[in-house]
Amino acid sequence: MEDSVRGRDEMRLGAEELGRELGERATLVQFSSAFCAPCRATRRVLDEVAGMVPGVVHVEMDAEKHLDLVRALKVESTPTVLVLDVAGRVVRRAAGQPRRVDVIAALGEAVG
């Protein structure tokens, strides 16, 4: 989760864009595609972290079904993970399969 977008992206995401409410503390948004093997592993990591940290939810978005959002957020590959703070601002993003420790560190920034 090395690529911080702080200051570059003031777009906020909410229930309307994500199809569910934001987490009380933070939200992990995963853009996936149907035949993406790393997406399945990413789903497991994000589900595990969301289950460990109270107030954090994991939302998986099918990139092909949400092309407007993919374009607006400049998602270029799957999996892409966005970490949103409580207000729905993107505080961290990364492409590729994240490590659990990196997701936890990124959440620290979001809820900090």
Side-chain angles (χ1 to χ4, degrees):
M1 307 277 334
E2 67 287 338
D3 180 26
S4 176
V5 295
R6 187 180 303 268
R8 283 195 292 151
D9 188 21
E10 281 302 314
M11 180 177 182
R12 292 181 189 213
L13 301 177
E16 184 176 326
E17 294 83 12
L18 300 178
R20 71 174 285 187
E21 294 297 320
L22 294 173
E24 294 175 11
R25 298 179 67 203
T27 304
L28 301 170
V29 179
Q30 174 185 348
F31 285 92
S32 298
S33 52
F35 299 104
C36 168
C39 293
R40 291 188 290 277
T42 297
R43 178 184 312 118
R44 286 190 296 274
V45 168
L46 297 182
D47 280 345
E48 179 183 337
V49 172
M52 292 173 23
V53 183
V56 174
V57 298
H58 169 219
V59 179
E60 188 170 1
M61 309 284 290
D62 183 325
E64 293 176 19
K65 293 180 181 175
H66 297 92
L67 288 176
D68 289 343
L69 198 52
V70 164
R71 289 181 187 114
L73 293 166
K74 298 181 175 112
V75 173
E76 297 177 356
S77 63
T78 57
T80 291
V81 177
L82 308 177
V83 179
L84 310 181
D85 66 11
V86 70
R89 286 185 303 262
V90 178
V91 295
R92 301 282 281 183
R93 75 182 287 153
Q97 183 179 334
R99 297 180 314 156
R100 184 169 60 123
V101 66
D102 294 330
V103 175
I104 293 168
L107 277 175
E109 183 177 338
V111 301

